[in-house]
Amino acid sequence: TVGGVLAYWRYAEIYPSTDNAYTGADIVRIAPLVAGPVIDVYVEDDQKVSKGDPLFDIDPAPYEAALRGARAQFDAALNAAGTEGEHLKAAADELEAKRVALVDALAEYRSAEHAAAPNAGSNAAITSALKSVHEAQAAYADAHDAFNEAQDKDMVVTTPTAKLRGAAAQLDKATGDRVKTHVVAPGDGWVSNVRVRPGAVMGAGTPAFPLVEAGDWWVDANFKETDLARIQQGQPATIKLDMYPG
């Protein structure tokens, strides 16, 4: 017995250990950038998501109305500005086309999600629809960049062109707000504590649930001061998780 105690003491001297340790990871608080009632939720607790995957939707109706109003003001300003606004019109038309394509892709994904059996996991229809969503997001982002570049181009300074610039800025905001009704994952990871349900009213910036990022994870281990002298950078460490014995 004495020998065993001495052996254990010697082992502990050479290999410091602690039970006072916790895993850690970067966490992003998912929050909508526009306010309104939730109409669809696409994820469940502990679901793995990738960057750009749909998480939930805010009711787009008021943002659709605002977008129609902004487009009407933009079209009127275009008419008054004449040929000076042709490059803006082309960029705005492309932006709207890509936005509509994104809405259509999201609708297909929504239909595939609703048609899937509960707890059935991913299937070919969902995978294909999700791929289309990601492609539509990239195309919209490119069109949005092009519209921003068009807004920055020089025009002859007149009252009509000044009004056109203002109308283009309002159209840009209204289009962006409409797209922001689709809340998507900002990165790869796992969503947790998903308690948002259709009908819940969300404020802009109000956290809905966390996303645990799939990047680097770490362990915060608290050792006794008497052990620290034997712990050096670069030493191998063995980590055991209580929730996963063995």
Side-chain angles (χ1 to χ4, degrees):
T1 302
V2 173
V5 170
L6 289 174
Y8 176 80
W9 175 82
R10 182 57 180 166
Y11 181 88
E13 281 285 306
I14 299 174
Y15 303 105
S17 65
T18 179
D19 289 331
N20 185 8
Y22 304 90
T23 56
D26 289 322
I27 295 176
V28 176
R29 301 292 175 183
I30 302 299
L33 298 179
V34 294
V38 174
I39 58 172
D40 272 296
V41 180
Y42 303 108
V43 291
E44 300 175 345
D45 274 351
D46 302 324
Q47 181 173 329
K48 177 73 166 63
V49 296
S50 299
K51 183 177 181 179
D53 285 1
L55 301 179
F56 61 92
D57 286 339
I58 299 292
D59 184 5
Y63 301 99
E64 287 276 9
L67 178 55
R68 286 193 294 270
R71 184 68 200 216
Q73 294 295 323
F74 179 75
D75 288 343
L78 272 174
N79 186 59
T83 57
E84 280 295 312
E86 287 181 351
H87 66 289
L88 271 174
K89 180 181 186 305
D93 288 346
E94 182 68 7
L95 178 65
E96 178 61 9
K98 298 306 182 185
R99 185 196 69 79
V100 171
L102 175 58
V103 171
D104 291 343
L106 285 163
E108 290 182 10
Y109 177 74
R110 187 183 308 117
S111 296
E113 279 272 307
H114 291 171
N119 302 318
S122 181
N123 59 39
I126 292 177
T127 301
S128 177
L130 191 55
K131 182 175 182 290
S132 296
V133 168
H134 288 171
E135 291 172 349
Q137 288 171 339
Y140 169 79
D142 289 342
H144 186 254
D145 289 342
F147 186 53
N148 283 337
E149 291 177 5
Q151 292 181 71
D152 292 336
K153 287 185 177 179
D154 291 336
M155 290 189 289
V156 176
V157 180
T158 63
T159 297
T161 57
K163 289 183 178 179
L164 176 58
R165 285 191 183 279
Q170 289 302 312
L171 179 61
D172 192 2
K173 181 182 184 306
T175 303
D177 285 348
R178 172 62 181 87
V179 171
K180 289 171 186 173
T181 61
H182 307 293
V183 181
V184 301
D188 300 343
W190 291 263
V191 292
S192 180
N193 296 323
V194 180
R195 300 292 181 265
V196 176
R197 293 292 180 267
V201 178
M202 300 292 297
T206 302
F209 47 78
L211 181 145
V212 182
E213 291 187 337
D216 292 334
W217 289 31
W218 60 87
V219 172
D220 291 313
N222 300 290
F223 288 89
K224 295 179 180 179
E225 293 178 2
T226 53
D227 289 333
L228 297 181
R230 297 188 301 282
I231 299 175
Q232 305 297 326
Q233 182 176 346
Q235 288 178 328
T238 299
I239 299 170
K240 296 181 181 180
L241 301 182
D242 290 340
M243 69 182 298
Y244 294 116

